[in-house]
Amino acid sequence: MNKALFGASIALAIGVGIGIGAAQFQHLLVPPATGTAGHDSADNSPRPLFYRNPMNPAITSPVPAKDEMGMDYIPVYPEKPAADRKPLFYRNPMNPAITSPVPAQDEMGMDYIPVFADEEGGNDEPTGTVKIDPVMVQNIGVRTVKVEQRDLVRSVRASGRITVDESRMSRLHPRTEGWVEKQWVSRIGNAVRKGDDLLSLYSPQLVTSQQEYLLALDNLNALADSPFEDIRRGAEEMVSSSEQRLRLLDMPPHEIAKLRQSRQVQRAVAIESPFDGVVLDIGAREGQYIKPSTEMYMLADLSKVWLLADVYEYELPWISVGDSGSMEITGLGNHSFTGTVAYIYPYAEASTRTVKVRLEFDNPQGLLKPDMFASVTIGASTRKQALVVPSNAIVRSGSREQVFVVRGEGKFEPRQVELGYSSDGWVEITSGLKAGETVVSSALFLIDSESKLREATAKMMEASKNVGASTPEEATSSDELSMGGLSMDDMSMDGMSMEGMSTDDMSMDGMSTEGMSTDDMSMEGMSTDDMSMEGMSMEPDATKDAGVMQHD
């Protein structure tokens, strides 16, 4: 009896396990049928895409949550598509680059968002047109501005260095070899006047030329009364050539006149200053032997100086010759100097990528010194009634520049433009826009990213249509899964053995057979010939409290 009872218990446990497993398997494959109207309404209700912080819409969560103040996150549901609209594809809500031709869910269980044809841009809309919900437009901080016409005025600020006016600088070299006999100006920086003696030079060649000149003068006087005109003309030409030689040797005219009157050869000839200026360098000293290659003095007239300003390439189109400039020097306080642009150099500096612009300034008081650093403001030309937009409304991709034009509420069209000059945060538009149009001036990165994604998607869809490719419209649905035709007739437990199975840890606490029916259970064909109760203990004291059957 005990042996039969144990066998029945084992069979009952196996049957219950098989029934529970089959029920779970069927529950996974076949969706449960809706029985009431209330359940049907709950199952058909849309699932939230995500949950948004009520105080900060930029913070979202894939699951219900609360903020720091205990306020529930607001669920965000997908828009209900119209009955006559068919989605082109479905897009991952967290990564728009991931799409699917059929409804799907991401790793967090969020439904893919359907994308319809009118959202990708119709036939009358340019490729890449973006449509954004007005609430989202406000949340991401989209700002717009009108395209307008205004005068573009720009003042170019640059730094530079004061230099000597090269047209007012002189380097004095001797015309012949000799020695410095006497030097009157021997300090760098000394101011000199035109005609001041700088030094005296003894040159054998100058002495010989003076003697030849005196001989020519004597010959002219001797032949002045000659009846032959050719002889008189020859004597005059000799005097003229001798005097010309002295001038070419840089003998001052007043020294030549003095020689003609005194008829005495001068041992040393004075070298004079050619203009009023300042001595910048001295290359010869008293007693020094000099040659034509020796630079005796470098003189400069500082009554007018140059400023070489470094102007950046992008500011160069604003500057032209004749523009006025105002210069200030830190060491001179608030004193300002006014000059004009005299020349724009035709090359750029390789190290700074700037172009030299030369301005001329008067320096009557000598306040401006060479090699001083100064800052200059150049009043550049004005562009009248230029079509302009803010510079932050331009999307620069490297190969092109574009703006986003507002075509309607939440709809933005990308449009390529050509740019002109820029000034004070405004950029001139030479083509691509008209006055009065509205463009986006903020949140451009998000809109540009969405536009590029839509443009790429449109090109992919167009390519698919051209090659005759069709988007898969049928997908496996869980509604089509059924247990119909599933039979357990061929299922057998032959070969199943409980050998080695231990029931030491098995407990039937809490197990109840209430509601279990054995009407359909049959033990027909079950044999207990191989069952053995050997070693099994049914002592009441051992199982009374534990409620567990134990065996060795």
Side-chain angles (χ1 to χ4, degrees):
M1 181 62 182
N2 292 336
K3 187 175 182 180
L5 180 60
F6 178 73
S9 300
I10 294 298
L12 179 62
I14 294 174
V16 172
I18 293 175
I20 294 174
Q24 293 295 332
F25 182 69
Q26 184 177 7
H27 175 72
L28 293 175
L29 295 180
V30 181
T34 56
T36 63
H39 287 296
D40 183 62
S41 175
D43 292 341
N44 293 335
S45 61
R47 296 178 57 186
L49 295 177
F50 53 89
Y51 297 82
R52 177 175 292 155
N53 190 312
M55 304 303 295
N56 187 354
I59 302 177
T60 59
S61 171
V63 296
K66 293 180 179 292
D67 62 5
E68 296 81 357
M69 297 184 293
M71 301 176 63
D72 293 329
Y73 276 37
I74 302 173
V76 178
Y77 297 93
E79 294 183 359
K80 271 194 173 182
D84 57 344
R85 294 201 305 171
K86 188 175 183 180
L88 295 177
F89 54 89
Y90 297 82
R91 176 175 293 157
N92 189 311
M94 305 304 292
N95 187 354
I98 302 177
T99 60
S100 172
V102 296
Q105 291 183 341
D106 62 5
E107 296 81 355
M108 297 184 293
M110 299 175 63
D111 293 327
Y112 277 34
I113 302 174
V115 179
F116 300 93
D118 57 350
E119 296 179 1
E120 289 298 302
N123 296 331
D124 58 337
E125 295 180 355
T127 304
T129 299
V130 180
K131 185 177 180 182
I132 305 177
D133 183 81
V135 177
M136 185 61 68
V137 169
Q138 184 175 2
N139 290 340
I140 65 178
V142 176
R143 299 292 181 267
T144 59
V145 66
K146 290 282 188 180
V147 182
E148 58 180 292
Q149 288 182 318
R150 62 165 54 191
D151 294 342
L152 280 184
V153 181
R154 177 159 188 153
S155 296
V156 178
R157 294 184 60 85
S159 60
R161 182 175 58 89
I162 296 175
T163 63
V164 177
D165 187 345
E166 295 177 359
S167 63
R168 297 171 177 266
M169 187 170 60
S170 178
R171 300 176 184 270
L172 301 182
H173 290 256
R175 304 291 179 86
T176 182
E177 299 176 356
W179 288 262
V180 178
E181 288 277 332
K182 182 70 174 177
Q183 189 172 32
W184 292 282
V185 179
S186 58
R187 293 182 178 86
I188 296 176
N190 284 358
V192 295
R193 308 285 297 179
K194 183 178 180 180
D196 288 350
D197 293 337
L198 303 177
L199 56 78
S200 61
L201 174 66
Y202 164 69
S203 172
Q205 186 177 0
L206 271 175
V207 173
T208 303
S209 298
Q210 291 181 68
Q211 292 174 349
E212 292 177 355
Y213 179 63
L214 294 178
L215 291 175
L217 289 177
D218 294 339
N219 187 40
L220 178 60
N221 293 333
L223 299 176
D225 298 333
S226 174
F228 301 100
E229 184 178 356
D230 294 340
I231 295 177
R232 293 197 307 270
R233 187 183 308 112
E236 292 174 357
E237 291 178 355
M238 185 176 295
V239 172
S240 178
S241 62
S242 300
E243 185 177 348
Q244 183 66 22
R245 187 179 298 109
L246 291 175
R247 291 178 179 174
L248 294 176
L249 291 175
D250 210 16
M251 190 172 183
H254 66 89
E255 293 285 349
I256 297 176
K258 181 179 178 181
L259 176 63
R260 184 186 304 113
Q261 293 177 0
S262 63
R263 299 297 178 97
Q264 292 181 359
V265 175
Q266 301 179 29
R267 173 182 171 83
V269 177
I271 304 297
E272 300 177 351
S273 173
F275 51 76
D276 297 346
V278 176
V279 177
L280 300 182
D281 190 23
I282 299 176
R285 293 298 177 178
E286 194 170 305
Q288 181 178 340
Y289 174 76
I290 59 176
K291 299 183 294 185
S293 60
T294 304
E295 181 181 288
M296 298 181 296
Y297 288 94
M298 183 171 67
L299 307 178
D301 181 6
L302 300 181
S303 60
K304 182 173 288 188
V305 295
W306 289 353
L307 174 69
L308 298 182
D310 297 319
V311 178
Y312 290 104
E313 296 173 346
Y314 69 92
E315 295 178 321
L316 196 62
W318 289 92
I319 301 176
S320 58
V321 175
D323 291 342
S324 62
S326 177
M327 179 180 63
E328 294 181 356
I329 297 178
T330 305
L332 299 180
N334 296 327
H335 195 85
S336 179
F337 302 86
T338 302
T340 56
V341 176
Y343 186 69
I344 300 174
Y345 286 78
Y347 58 86
E349 298 290 336
S351 57
T352 60
R353 305 309 308 162
T354 56
V355 177
K356 295 288 186 184
V357 175
R358 189 176 74 206
L359 293 89
E360 294 183 352
F361 292 87
D362 292 330
N363 186 29
Q365 300 178 358
L367 298 177
L368 303 177
K369 308 292 192 297
D371 293 329
M372 271 186 171
F373 284 98
S375 60
V376 61
T377 302
I378 302 175
S381 305
T382 302
R383 299 189 66 83
K384 299 290 185 179
Q385 292 300 301
L387 195 66
V388 297
V389 297
S391 57
N392 54 8
I394 307 297
V395 179
R396 294 176 171 85
S397 61
S399 59
R400 62 179 182 177
E401 288 79 23
Q402 69 177 18
V403 298
F404 283 93
V405 182
V406 179
R407 297 195 61 184
E409 186 177 6
K411 187 177 290 186
F412 308 99
E413 170 199 340
R415 188 180 300 176
Q416 188 171 349
V417 295
E418 294 183 5
L419 307 182
Y421 297 139
S422 60
S423 173
D424 297 333
W426 295 90
V427 180
E428 181 185 13
I429 304 297
T430 57
S431 66
L433 288 176
K434 297 180 180 179
E437 290 185 306
T438 305
V439 297
V440 179
S441 61
S442 65
L444 286 174
F445 176 77
L446 298 175
I447 298 178
D448 183 49
S449 301
E450 181 69 14
S451 174
K452 285 182 171 57
L453 180 60
R454 290 178 180 267
E455 183 178 355
T457 304
K459 291 180 180 178
M460 292 171 59
M461 298 296 294
E462 183 178 356
S464 300
K465 293 179 182 179
N466 293 336
V467 298
S470 60
T471 303
E473 299 178 355
E474 299 181 2
T476 302
S477 174
S478 60
D479 296 338
E480 299 175 0
L481 294 173
S482 175
M483 293 288 289
L486 182 61
S487 175
M488 299 179 66
D489 295 339
D490 297 333
M491 297 181 66
S492 174
M493 297 180 65
D494 294 342
M496 182 178 292
S497 174
M498 299 179 64
E499 183 179 357
M501 182 180 294
S502 174
T503 59
D504 294 340
D505 299 329
M506 296 179 61
S507 174
M508 299 181 69
D509 291 341
M511 181 180 290
S512 173
T513 59
E514 183 180 354
M516 182 181 295
S517 175
T518 59
D519 296 339
D520 298 332
M521 297 181 63
S522 175
M523 299 182 65
E524 183 179 355
M526 181 178 292
S527 174
T528 60
D529 296 340
D530 298 332
M531 292 186 178
S532 175
M533 302 285 290
E534 183 179 358
M536 182 177 291
S537 175
M538 299 291 290
E539 295 180 5
D541 295 338
T543 60
K544 183 177 180 179
D545 298 330
V548 179
M549 293 191 300
Q550 300 178 351
H551 65 85
D552 295 335

